[in-house]
């Protein structure tokens, strides 16, 4: 019995001995992932994307990269001895002709152009496939740093009421109905009425719209009403595009006059849980990690 | 054979001899409906809602009414000898405590409060039911003035291309998926990518958002891209809430950089077809009346 177990354990150690490559988009998550992975005893090599990643990534071993230079990225990953990468952080869809391409990328252009016709899912999935075809395995942030996943519980001091729970159920159903269209990871619902659905404007843009509609009197609601419901799209490749929640979204939800936020437990990234709990308490909002439909309670 | 036919014809004449009551919200449609119905030889009596209806309604026989004074509305309808009404024009959901209620309305308040919890569909359907319970039949604008329905054809000089047609099919599917949630009569799609979904902000708000996202560079698209797709919600009570299309929406779509507009033929109101054709030509946009899914070509 001991032999195969040893072999399996050995395989695991070998994988962990390779540094994990972290392709860094914008925001705090690339650094949060690097921190957790390092704390678990694995080396990291960051590949921050110029114009997107935060300067603070330079605290870790890193090589800056350009969008559009996929050949160089592959070389750098090989030089660093990485066999696995994660893609973390924000990446606003760039306009093709604003990119500077290297040869490898140019060869991929017909495929990239195809991917551009679809939603963000198809674009990012295509990048993941391109990595894997070249022998680099794409892992999800939730796999290498599960500590960063939203728990199935209330974060902070406030809990949703019965009506809020109805709105959450309604909103989750709506998000899942939008799944086949590769859009809408977030909606705002107040008393079973859909106030907003996110598309190209992003969650911040959607929440700002609610604030403006309320201030202008176009949207007539009680002083505080509405729940932001955010969930991964069904069928979404969770390795590359999990939604995230942080203090900025909490502040935006407060500005929109909402009463709370519900995100899918295990399906949403949290860079700093303690900071997030403080932010929700200060904003007087509830933040609830809700079980995905069809999933059993742990 | 002649007797029953005479009786049926008589019945029809009697109904048409009653003036048609037109409850007038905002915009050009109440007057367009009044004009068509009068041209068909039926008298009209307009009930413009204060704060919503345009002053031009006063060209027709009319009695101004207040939201919240349902008892008075019923009395006026009876005095005018109307047995049928249509509800036409815009009506932004008012805040309950901003309304001045009469006794009849106060008795209905518990039910109105319930209706307020749902989407616009439930609110307006509730009003229709309240009329019918009191012996006033609610007709649809499309029934009393079918001349105002969008035809199944291109309006103006431009036609959608093959890719536009794909976007239109995709957008119609999305609108129909939103149906059960009482939201979203309009979406914007560019090359199979969903740019925006309408909720509480309305079509104008959604189009303004696209314009802003493009100007700010947040949304990176070719100079002209995207189709506005607008359709009635499935299961929507067409008597009370058909979407409308007019020169204002055309101008807003142009400002958003779109290439065209598709609306459901027979399921969208057009107040002034000639003016609309001129507006689309000036805006360099196509406007296409698309057959509803599952409906056969005429």
């Amino acid at each position: 019995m001991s032999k195969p177990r040893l072999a399996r354990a050995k395989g695991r150690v070998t994988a962990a001995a390779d540094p994990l490559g972290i392709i860094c988009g914008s925001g705090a998550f690339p650094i949060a992932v690097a921190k957790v992975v390092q704390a678990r005893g694995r080396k990291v090599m960051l590949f921050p994307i110029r114009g997107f990643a935060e300067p603070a990534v330079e605290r870790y071993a890193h090589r800056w990269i350009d969008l559009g230079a996929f050949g160089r990225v592959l070389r750098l990953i090989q030089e660093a001895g990485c066999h696995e990468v994660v893609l973390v952080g924000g990446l606003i869809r760039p306009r093709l002709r604003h990119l500077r391409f290297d040869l490898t990328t140019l060869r991929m252009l017909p495929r990239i152009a195809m991917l551009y016709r679809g939603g963000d899912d198809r674009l990012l999935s295509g990048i993941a496939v391109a990595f894997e075809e070249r022998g680099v395995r794409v892992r999800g942030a939730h796999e290498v740093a599960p500590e960063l996943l939203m728990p199935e519980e209330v974060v902070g001091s406030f809990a949703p009421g019965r009506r809020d729970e109805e709105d959450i159920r309604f909103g989750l159903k709506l998000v899942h109905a939008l799944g086949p269209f590769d859009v809408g990871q977030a909606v705002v619902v107040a008393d079973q009425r859909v106030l907003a659905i996110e598309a190209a404007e992003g969650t911040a843009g959607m929440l700002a719209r609610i604030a403006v509609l309320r201030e202008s009197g176009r949207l007539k609601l009680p002083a505080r009403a509405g729940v932001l419901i955010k969930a991964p799209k069904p069928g979404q490749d969770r390795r590359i595009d999990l939604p995230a929640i942080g203090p900025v979204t909490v502040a935006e939800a407060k500005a929109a006059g909402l009463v709370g936020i519900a995100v899918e437990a295990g399906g949403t990234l949290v860079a700093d849980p303690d900071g997030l709990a403080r932010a929700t308490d200060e904003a007087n909002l509830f933040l609830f990690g809700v079980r995905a439909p069809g999933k059993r309670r742990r």
Side-chain angles (χ1 to χ4, degrees), chain A:
Chain A
M1 278 293 283
S2 62
K3 274 259 171 176
R5 283 180 71 178
L6 192 67
R8 271 209 298 278
K10 231 174 148 183
R12 230 181 272 144
V13 172
T14 310
D18 289 2
L20 176 71
I22 305 178
I23 314 273
C24 310
S26 63
F29 282 99
I31 291 164
V33 169
K35 196 175 161 189
V36 167
V37 172
Q38 252 191 6
R40 290 181 157 229
R42 184 165 180 188
K43 281 187 188 164
V44 293
M45 171 59 82
L46 274 54
F47 300 99
I49 303 170
R50 232 181 291 275
F52 292 91
E54 299 197 352
V57 294
E58 300 199 337
R59 271 188 268 151
Y60 295 86
H62 68 278
R63 303 293 300 269
W64 284 93
I65 59 173
D66 287 293
L67 271 183
F70 193 69
R72 177 174 143 85
V73 175
L74 284 171
R75 264 196 315 281
L76 291 175
I77 286 172
Q78 209 170 5
E79 279 172 30
C82 300
H83 297 107
E84 294 186 342
V85 295
V86 283
L87 290 78
V88 204
L91 194 63
I92 292 169
R93 165 186 291 252
R95 197 153 175 172
L96 277 184
R97 64 180 158 86
H98 287 176
L99 299 178
R100 293 169 58 198
F101 297 113
D102 67 10
L103 212 64
T104 310
T105 315
L106 279 175
R107 279 196 214 102
M108 293 165 62
L109 263 192
R111 199 162 72 184
I112 293 176
M114 282 254 304
L115 294 170
Y116 252 64
R117 289 202 63 205
D120 286 318
D121 258 19
R122 276 159 71 185
L123 180 61
L124 289 167
S125 306
I127 293 171
V129 168
F131 269 119
E132 302 224 312
E133 281 175 2
R134 284 155 184 86
V136 180
R137 193 172 163 211
V138 177
R139 304 289 305 273
H142 62 296
E143 294 169 333
V144 298
E147 294 90 335
L148 301 181
L149 283 174
M150 178 75 185
E152 189 180 322
E153 62 189 29
V154 166
V155 170
S157 310
F158 301 101
R162 196 183 50 76
R163 280 200 170 183
D164 301 326
E165 283 177 356
E166 281 175 33
D167 283 343
I168 292 167
R169 272 193 295 275
F170 186 80
L172 280 177
K173 269 190 215 145
L174 172 52
V175 170
H176 290 118
L178 292 168
F181 303 95
D182 194 10
V183 71
Q185 293 189 99
V187 299
V188 176
V189 176
D191 259 352
Q192 311 283 297
R193 181 177 172 217
V194 183
L195 303 184
I197 302 175
E198 177 186 330
E201 74 275 25
T203 306
M206 178 182 66
L207 291 174
R209 168 162 90 249
I210 304 254
V212 169
L213 284 171
R214 294 181 75 152
E215 276 159 31
S216 69
R218 267 296 311 266
L219 189 55
K220 293 180 176 75
L221 292 170
R224 296 193 62 214
V227 181
L228 168 67
I229 297 119
K230 216 170 139 83
K233 286 173 267 187
Q236 180 167 332
D237 186 342
R238 296 192 172 208
R239 291 175 312 166
I240 46 168
D241 192 22
L242 272 188
I245 179 83
V248 174
T249 303
V250 171
E252 289 161 352
K254 188 193 177 182
L258 304 191
V259 294
I261 301 171
V263 299
E264 197 181 298
T268 310
L269 291 170
V270 177
D272 170 16
D274 295 340
L276 190 58
R278 277 195 305 278
T280 54
D281 282 359
E282 278 163 25
N284 239 353
L285 289 171
F286 69 77
L287 172 59
F288 184 53
V290 66
R291 196 159 21 118
K295 294 226 169 143
R296 261 180 289 164
R297 200 178 288 276
R298 280 176 301 186

